[in-house]
């Protein structure tokens, strides 16, 4: 299509009130001068999208798979990392991978909605069936979006709850306690329980200390930001 091609073909187009309003609202929000011009632009955009829909869908699938694979590799590497030496690096890598996957998930939902529209309009037997398919797709994507939001909230809460807890250190407490104990392994239940309790008590102290340090750093940062220039 070329922009300088003369517009000589006329045809009748019947719209519902809701369809006409949606087009008019879109045209008004983009400062388009007429309904006909808005329809022409929307048709051009839809044709361009449809031309690339299959390639976008294939690329999106590959991106989604790669982001998931990356996140899994980060999690596996973090398990092998000595948390006592590299806990901040491992935690930062995990957060980065989660952010990446969240962005890809959001992108997938948005593009799925657009591509679903293109595919439904292209393949449905009638326009009414295409509209119904679009409604179903929107409902499905909304459910998926809600489920992802809930999963992210749980992950954030879990990460915050276990922040600064060194589980590898728990294994060391148990190992050291069993080694110095004179009990046989089969009779070391109380030794292990006592070691876990001791580790947990230490973990609580460390967590509280680190949280106080975080609060102090935030307060100092806010104080510096609130300082007048040149102070």
């Amino acid at each position: 299509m070329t922009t300088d091609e003369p517009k000589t073909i006329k045809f009748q187009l019947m719209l519902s009130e809701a369809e006409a309003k949606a087009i008019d609202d879109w045209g008004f929000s983009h400062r388009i001068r007429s309904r006909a011009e808005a329809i022409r632009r929307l048709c051009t955009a839809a044709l361009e999208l449809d031309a690339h829909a299959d390639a976008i869908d294939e690329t999106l699938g590959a991106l989604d798979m790669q982001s998931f694979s990356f996140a899994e590799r980060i999690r596996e590497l973090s398990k092998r990392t000595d948390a006592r030496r590299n806990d901040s690096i491992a935690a930062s890598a995990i957060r980065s991978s989660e952010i990446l996957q969240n962005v890809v998930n959001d992108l997938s939902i948005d593009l799925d909605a657009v591509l679903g529209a293109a595919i439904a309009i292209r393949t449905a037997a009638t326009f009414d069936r295409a509209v119904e398919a679009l409604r179903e797709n929107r409902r499905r994507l909304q459910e998926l979006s809600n489920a992802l939001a809930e999963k992210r909230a749980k992950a954030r809460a879990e990460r915050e709850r276990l922040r600064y807890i060194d589980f590898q250190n728990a294994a060391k407490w148990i190992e050291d306690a069993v080694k110095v104990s004179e009990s046989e392994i089969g009779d070391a239940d109380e030794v292990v329980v006592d070691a876990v309790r001791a580790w947990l008590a230490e973990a609580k102290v460390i967590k509280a200390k680190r949280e106080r340090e975080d609060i102090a750093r935030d307060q100092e940062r806010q104080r510096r930001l609130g300082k007048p220039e040149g102070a």
Side-chain angles (χ1 to χ4, degrees), residues 8-22:
T8 58
I9 297 175
K10 295 182 179 180
F11 68 96
Q12 184 178 17
L13 175 65
M14 303 297 290
L15 296 172
S16 68
E17 289 290 339
E19 290 169 338
K21 183 179 184 307

Side-chain angles (χ1 to χ4, degrees), residues 23-40:
I23 292 171
D24 291 343
D25 289 346
W26 183 86
F28 179 79
S29 66
H30 293 84
R31 299 181 179 180
I32 296 173
R33 60 188 178 184
S34 67
R35 180 182 290 172
E37 177 68 11
I39 292 173
R40 186 179 298 115

Side-chain angles (χ1 to χ4, degrees), residues 18 67 80:
S67 69
R80 304 175 199 167

